[in-house]
Amino acid sequence: MKIFILSLFLLITSIVAAQESLPYKNSKVPLEKRADDLLQRMTLEEKIDILGGTGFATKPNVRLGIPELRMSDGPVGVRWNPSTAFPVSVAMAATWDPELVNGIGSAIGRETRGKGRHVILGPCVNIVRLPMGGRNFESFGEDPFLTSRMTVSYIKGVQKENVAATVKHFAVNNQEYERTWIDVLVSERALNEIYLPSFKAAVTEADVLCVMSAYNKINRHYASENDYLLIDKLKKEWGFKGLVMSDWGAVHSSIPTARGGLDLEMPFGEFMNQKTLLDEIKSGNISQSTIDDKVKRILGVIFKLGLFDNPEWKENPDLVNSLENRKVAYETSLASIVLLKNDQNILPLKQNQIKTLAVIGPGAQVPRTGGGGSAYVTAIDPVSPLDALKKKLLDKIKIEYAQGLNLEGDADGIETKYLFIDQSQKQNGLTGEYFPNMDLSGTPALKRIDAQIVFHWDDKSPAKEIGEDNFSVRWTGYIKAPKTGDFIFSTSTDDGARLYFEDKLVINDWNDHAVETRTYTAHLEEGKLYKIKMEYYERGGGAIAILGWTAPGNELLNAAIEAARRADQVLLFVGTSNQIETEGRDRDNLFLPGEQDELIAKIAEVNKNVVVVL
């Protein structure tokens, strides 16, 4: 019996030793040989499986010990729970300082590791071609040379932290309107002189590990199956060795995509899977060598990041929002400031001449760290201009604050004291019914009383009974106005919303989109109850649902004018918001949104010492 146990032990030991000596598991073997060895050990089915993602990661392979490659949205901070919000890319470019931007890249790389992720989905290097483009804030501007310098510095900073950068969106992704099917017709010269230099620099100078293809078509072919871009330029002419992933949902075909230069379909293998590809490969309609090249590129990035040798890449909170990272964010913010005009040297402020400072505007009390969509970062302890000024000056100068007006998405959620679940008015709030589908069908998985509709679920689930995506909610109840007048109701949602007032559909925004606000004006009488219902669905990505209102009258504007009239000096903060500049939509025009021009004019009428901060 002892002999048998000893023999069994020796057999197991020899098997384990043999496995550990496999070339792909041997850290002393060159990376390319390790990838080649692993590739030839994979079955065709396993190769196909790794071509489709699992949301924000690649598929692991338990049999062969292939770890997943975990990703996070960027490019101006790690969008994986709260993180440091770094200056947006157009502000980085405004510094004209590659060294600072390299520091930003390093900080983002550290925070990516701190979140236990391996790939940051940035930088965004699309040329600003359309001035109203919703994602212009994510890019480095309109100049190919400046953009290229910023791109190289950013990527080198990220990747020296052993994190893969992802240059995006390849290519000519310059607008959000109809971005998923628009066909951008561009000459070869313009393409290569204006739109591609930053991508080329990312590959040839910064050795970027990942490239993301765009949503749009370029010269009649979708970016994810565009052979000129992905094969001729990227892989052949520039010699790109890393992996090419799609933007989320940017793949439109199986065979053309599989034959082309795209390696990884994200977020899932809807078109690149065993059902669509297995028989095509076995029949020779898609070459085995093409599939092998795609798989090897994915494996290559995993090997380069050392994940086979250190698969347990755990979270490290000390790397997130560290003093070092906050310092580089602060220094870059300072360097990005542009002084447009300084009449009579009003700046810097002469504190000994100011007794009362009016801080006014829709951007004064809100820390607007960036735009919306997949680049929006939930900042850790963000500081608004008003907070900072109070901390710095409150013991020396009297500060008066006035909002002036609401920007789109800034309207307060309707307070719970005005909401009731029924006409008895015994309980405040609205009844919420939560469904595990997007069409409010069947029996709700959860029913509860919500005090108000002000929800920023982002990438999280509303409750344990509901998934993170593909859910819907119906809120019902009554609302009572605090006074008589015209109230402006607003729904701010990502994705769809419907609002019913007295059983009448008054807002119908039932479609997929980034955070957008829709309004309806109703005349309400003080003390009277009105029936209200809001319906909402979320498909994927961020989840936000807000029901707000703006009370009648010009109280906000009048309060701002009076504050300015009493002050020695006015700081007036205006601009946009993360709902106005955001993924999923373009701006309507380049005017200051809302009534901000009127606000500036009214304030300037009563106070000549006004500094406008845009």
Side-chain angles (χ1 to χ4, degrees):
M1 187 66 176
K2 292 181 180 179
I3 295 174
F4 172 75
I5 293 173
L6 179 60
S7 300
L8 183 61
F9 173 77
L10 291 173
L11 176 63
I12 293 172
T13 303
S14 64
I15 291 173
V16 171
Q19 288 179 337
E20 290 178 346
S21 66
L22 294 175
Y24 82 88
K25 290 189 175 183
N26 188 342
S27 61
K28 297 179 181 179
V29 174
L31 295 182
E32 186 163 352
K33 289 187 177 180
R34 295 177 73 181
D36 285 334
D37 178 68
L38 178 56
L39 183 67
Q40 60 92 17
R41 297 177 189 279
M42 297 176 71
T43 66
L44 177 57
E45 289 79 3
E46 288 172 330
K47 291 175 181 177
I48 295 173
D49 278 345
I50 206 171
L51 302 181
T54 62
F56 274 87
T58 58
K59 287 183 181 177
N61 182 309
V62 176
R63 184 180 75 86
L64 294 167
I66 303 175
E68 63 181 355
L69 194 61
R70 298 194 292 267
M71 307 173 187
S72 173
D73 270 327
V76 295
V78 185
R79 205 172 115 85
W80 201 264
N81 298 321
S83 305
T84 305
F86 295 93
V88 294
S89 303
V90 75
M92 294 184 211
T95 68
W96 298 83
D97 190 335
E99 187 175 342
L100 276 176
V101 175
N102 182 264
I104 290 281
S106 295
I108 288 176
R110 288 191 293 272
E111 298 214 356
T112 304
R113 283 195 291 117
K115 298 289 187 178
R117 316 307 290 178
H118 312 126
V119 181
I120 189 72
L121 301 178
C124 173
V125 305
N126 295 112
I127 293 296
V128 174
R129 176 64 180 84
L130 184 74
M132 287 85 73
R135 297 180 79 171
N136 286 349
F137 70 92
E138 284 187 59
S139 297
F140 293 119
E142 72 278 13
D143 181 76
F145 179 78
L146 177 62
T147 297
S148 297
R149 295 308 94 212
M150 298 295 108
T151 299
V152 170
S153 293
Y154 180 107
I155 292 170
K156 286 185 175 180
V158 169
Q159 295 191 167
K160 73 182 178 185
E161 298 295 334
N162 200 37
V163 167
T166 308
V167 66
K168 64 181 187 180
H169 309 84
F170 194 51
V172 205
N173 181 191
N174 305 121
Q175 67 183 67
E176 291 300 285
Y177 177 68
E178 296 186 345
R179 67 177 180 174
T180 54
W181 56 79
I182 190 171
D183 187 5
V184 183
L185 305 179
V186 56
S187 71
E188 188 172 3
R189 178 177 179 181
L191 189 62
N192 283 277
E193 291 184 359
I194 298 174
Y195 299 102
L196 297 188
S198 53
F199 290 98
K200 181 179 180 180
V203 174
T204 61
E205 297 182 52
D207 195 24
V208 70
L209 291 176
C210 301
V211 172
M212 182 188 292
S213 65
Y215 281 115
N216 49 283
K217 294 178 182 177
I218 302 95
N219 295 331
R220 312 210 184 285
H221 297 281
Y222 278 110
S224 292
E225 53 189 69
N226 193 304
D227 289 349
Y228 175 78
L229 288 177
L230 302 186
I231 297 177
D232 297 344
K233 300 300 294 186
L234 182 63
K235 293 185 174 180
K236 289 184 177 179
E237 182 180 328
W238 302 343
F240 178 62
K241 302 299 183 185
L243 75 86
V244 182
M245 71 180 77
S246 72
D247 205 337
W248 269 230
V251 174
H252 297 269
S253 67
S254 296
I255 296 175
T257 302
R259 284 176 173 168
L262 189 86
D263 305 315
L264 175 64
E265 181 186 359
M266 297 299 289
F268 308 107
E270 181 179 353
F271 292 92
M272 302 239 279
N273 56 62
Q274 290 189 41
K275 184 177 180 181
T276 59
L277 299 184
L278 188 59
D279 291 342
E280 300 290 342
I281 298 170
K282 288 181 177 179
S283 69
N285 195 27
I286 300 171
S287 74
Q288 177 75 55
S289 61
T290 299
I291 299 301
D292 285 351
D293 180 69
K294 297 177 189 297
V295 176
K296 185 176 177 181
R297 289 170 178 273
I298 297 170
L299 297 177
V301 173
I302 296 174
F303 275 115
K304 283 184 178 180
L305 296 179
L307 300 185
F308 277 93
D309 308 316
N310 182 26
E312 293 300 320
W313 195 335
K314 296 181 180 179
E315 295 184 14
N316 183 354
D318 291 341
L319 296 177
V320 179
N321 203 44
S322 64
L323 289 176
E324 182 182 11
N325 293 355
R326 294 179 70 91
K327 182 173 183 287
V328 71
Y330 175 71
E331 290 176 346
T332 307
S333 297
L334 288 183
S336 74
I337 294 171
V338 178
L339 181 61
L340 296 178
K341 192 176 184 180
N342 193 18
D343 275 359
Q344 300 176 35
N345 294 316
I346 192 172
L347 292 174
L349 297 181
K350 301 166 184 63
Q351 295 184 34
N352 59 353
Q353 298 178 16
I354 302 172
K355 294 181 179 179
T356 301
L357 175 67
V359 180
I360 295 173
Q365 198 177 23
V366 182
R368 300 201 191 277
T369 58
S374 61
Y376 176 79
V377 178
T378 302
I380 298 174
D381 300 327
V383 180
S384 71
L386 180 62
D387 291 337
L389 289 164
K390 283 183 175 179
K391 184 175 181 180
K392 188 174 183 66
L393 302 175
L394 201 54
D395 60 336
K396 307 168 187 174
I397 296 173
K398 179 182 179 183
I399 294 178
E400 287 198 29
Y401 163 70
Q403 183 176 334
L405 52 81
N406 280 317
L407 282 187
E408 179 181 330
D410 284 352
D412 293 331
I414 300 174
E415 294 179 68
T416 188
K417 64 183 179 181
Y418 303 122
L419 301 173
F420 302 93
I421 64 170
D422 56 36
Q423 290 178 303
S424 71
Q425 303 183 50
K426 292 181 179 179
Q427 184 169 358
N428 292 105
L430 296 174
T431 301
E433 297 174 294
Y434 292 75
F435 299 83
N437 53 66
M438 294 190 297
D439 56 6
L440 303 154
S441 61
T443 303
L446 171 67
K447 189 174 181 179
R448 70 186 185 192
I449 306 301
D450 289 324
Q452 56 181 159
I453 306 176
V454 183
F455 294 109
H456 293 267
W457 292 305
D458 297 323
D459 298 320
K460 299 295 183 290
S461 168
K464 60 180 174 39
E465 297 88 349
I466 302 294
E468 295 177 357
D469 296 314
N470 303 309
F471 64 86
S472 54
V473 189
R474 178 187 292 120
W475 291 279
T476 55
Y478 292 83
I479 189 166
K480 183 167 68 172
K483 59 182 176 180
T484 298
D486 292 335
F487 285 74
I488 302 174
F489 289 88
S490 62
T491 59
S492 298
T493 61
D494 176 352
D495 293 288
R498 290 193 290 240
L499 182 66
Y500 296 82
F501 183 78
E502 291 288 272
D503 292 323
K504 177 185 176 184
L505 179 62
V506 294
I507 292 178
N508 188 4
D509 191 27
W510 203 251
N511 56 79
D512 296 354
H513 53 71
V515 184
E516 292 185 5
T517 298
R518 297 289 182 264
T519 61
Y520 169 71
T521 302
H523 185 79
L524 307 184
E525 296 180 14
E526 183 179 352
K528 184 178 178 180
L529 283 179
Y530 296 89
K531 191 176 183 181
I532 196 164
K533 176 172 68 175
M534 178 174 167
E535 295 175 339
Y536 165 76
Y537 83 82
E538 193 271 354
R539 182 181 298 278
I544 294 173
I546 301 172
L547 175 62
W549 66 2
T550 301
N554 291 315
E555 286 91 344
L556 291 178
L557 177 60
N558 293 336
I561 293 172
E562 291 308 310
R565 196 190 306 275
R566 293 189 294 267
D568 302 303
Q569 177 81 51
V570 177
L571 289 179
L572 181 51
F573 292 86
V574 297
T576 65
S577 70
N578 58 25
Q579 283 197 35
I580 296 166
E581 289 190 83
T582 182
E583 180 178 3
R585 63 181 288 199
D586 294 322
R587 293 175 63 181
D588 297 328
N589 52 56
L590 294 181
F591 297 117
L592 282 174
E595 303 298 325
Q596 293 182 93
D597 283 328
E598 179 186 1
L599 175 64
I600 295 171
K602 294 287 187 183
I603 297 302
E605 286 179 4
V606 300
N607 195 312
K608 301 304 179 185
N609 299 316
V610 180
V611 176
V612 176
V613 184
L614 182 63

